[in-house]
Amino acid sequence: MAEAEHEEHAIILDFLQYGYPFDTRPMHRKSSIAQAIGKNLFFLLELVPKKGVNLQPGDEVYIGTGKRDQVHHISGKINLDKLTQTARNELDLLLQQMVADNESRFVEFFNTALPINTRRHQLELLPGVGKKHMWDIISQREEKPFESFKDLRERVKLMPDPRMAIVKRILIELAGSDKYHLFVGSNIK
């Protein structure tokens, strides 16, 4: 059996220095909370920073199995609907940046995506990509693999923005509104 995948780094979405406002425990029993997204597997995580550590949205923190400088422990995964409004606002922009920064990883998805079953293909799970786009992508990648999002848009007529399609797909997966997972919890290379 394969070893369970885990995140090594996370990016802070929101930092609540005095914990959640709805937490009714006395102040001395509360701890700071950070909501974050894993940099590779896109898990939404609740982190407890070390005492005296203040984090800012956009900060990258180490959460791997080695010595952590800023994070005391990971409380666990959280659902999209448990994010604060600040974290939710940060998430959209941060995902766009993460996809842009890792363009080759996602272009490779377009070059290697496979059928799910006889009626559906992984490419069709992307918002805005239907059967026609799917067949155009498959036809074009057989001639020559895609090199960038720009290359993909130039070779596939009327292709929606691939970066935004991936961001929207990640948000769908984080919301739990589809049983298929292409990116969240999947370490595609």
Side-chain angles (χ1 to χ4, degrees), residues 102-139:
N102 294 289
E103 182 174 346
S104 61
R105 170 184 174 189
F106 297 104
V107 169
E108 186 62 21
F109 168 77
F110 284 96
N111 286 326
T112 60
L114 300 168
I116 297 169
N117 55 40
T118 56
R119 305 180 95 197
R120 203 140 186 228
H121 198 281
Q122 287 177 328
L123 291 168
E124 292 178 279
L125 297 177
L126 297 174
V129 177
K131 292 259 185 238
K132 182 171 180 355
H133 284 123
M134 176 201 69
W135 286 116
D136 286 350
I137 291 168
I138 291 170
S139 171

Side-chain angles (χ1 to χ4, degrees), residues 88-107:
R88 181 71 184 149
N89 293 342
E90 284 290 317
L91 181 63
D92 294 335
L93 296 171
L94 188 59
L95 282 174
Q96 290 177 42
Q97 188 61 50
M98 291 169 80
V99 171
D101 290 347
N102 294 289
E103 182 174 346
S104 61
R105 170 184 174 189
F106 297 104
V107 169

Side-chain angles (χ1 to χ4, degrees), residues 39-173:
K39 196 170 175 186
N40 191 35
L41 303 173
F42 303 110
F43 290 131
L44 292 175
L45 303 167
E46 183 177 273
L47 311 175
V48 176
K50 290 186 173 184
K51 289 261 188 245
V53 171
N54 286 315
L55 300 169
Q56 297 296 317
D59 287 353
E60 184 175 328
V61 294
Y62 176 73
I63 58 169
T65 55
K67 183 175 178 350
R68 300 177 185 148
D69 294 335
Q70 298 173 295
V71 175
H72 184 272
H73 67 274
I74 302 167
S75 296
K77 293 180 190 173
I78 55 175
N79 294 327
L80 186 65
D81 61 352
K82 299 293 185 211
L83 291 181
T84 63
Q85 189 59 49
T86 300
R88 181 71 184 149
N89 293 342
E90 284 290 317
L91 181 63
D92 294 335
L93 296 171
L94 188 59
L95 282 174
Q96 290 177 42
Q97 188 61 50
M98 291 169 80
V99 171
D101 290 347
N102 294 289
E103 182 174 346
S104 61
R105 170 184 174 189
F106 297 104
V107 169
E108 186 62 21
F109 168 77
F110 284 96
N111 286 326
T112 60
L114 300 168
I116 297 169
N117 55 40
T118 56
R119 305 180 95 197
R120 203 140 186 228
H121 198 281
Q122 287 177 328
L123 291 168
E124 292 178 279
L125 297 177
L126 297 174
V129 177
K131 292 259 185 238
K132 182 171 180 355
H133 284 123
M134 176 201 69
W135 286 116
D136 286 350
I137 291 168
I138 291 170
S139 171
Q140 288 294 321
R141 77 183 189 189
E142 285 174 358
E143 289 179 28
K144 177 183 170 207
F146 297 107
E147 296 174 7
S148 66
F149 288 150
K150 183 176 184 252
D151 182 32
L152 178 65
R153 288 193 79 178
E154 287 173 355
R155 291 170 48 198
V156 178
K157 290 179 180 25
L158 302 174
M159 175 72 189
D161 182 354
R163 182 175 58 99
M164 288 310 296
I166 289 169
V167 168
K168 288 176 185 175
R169 179 64 206 178
I170 291 169
L171 289 169
I172 288 168
E173 292 177 24

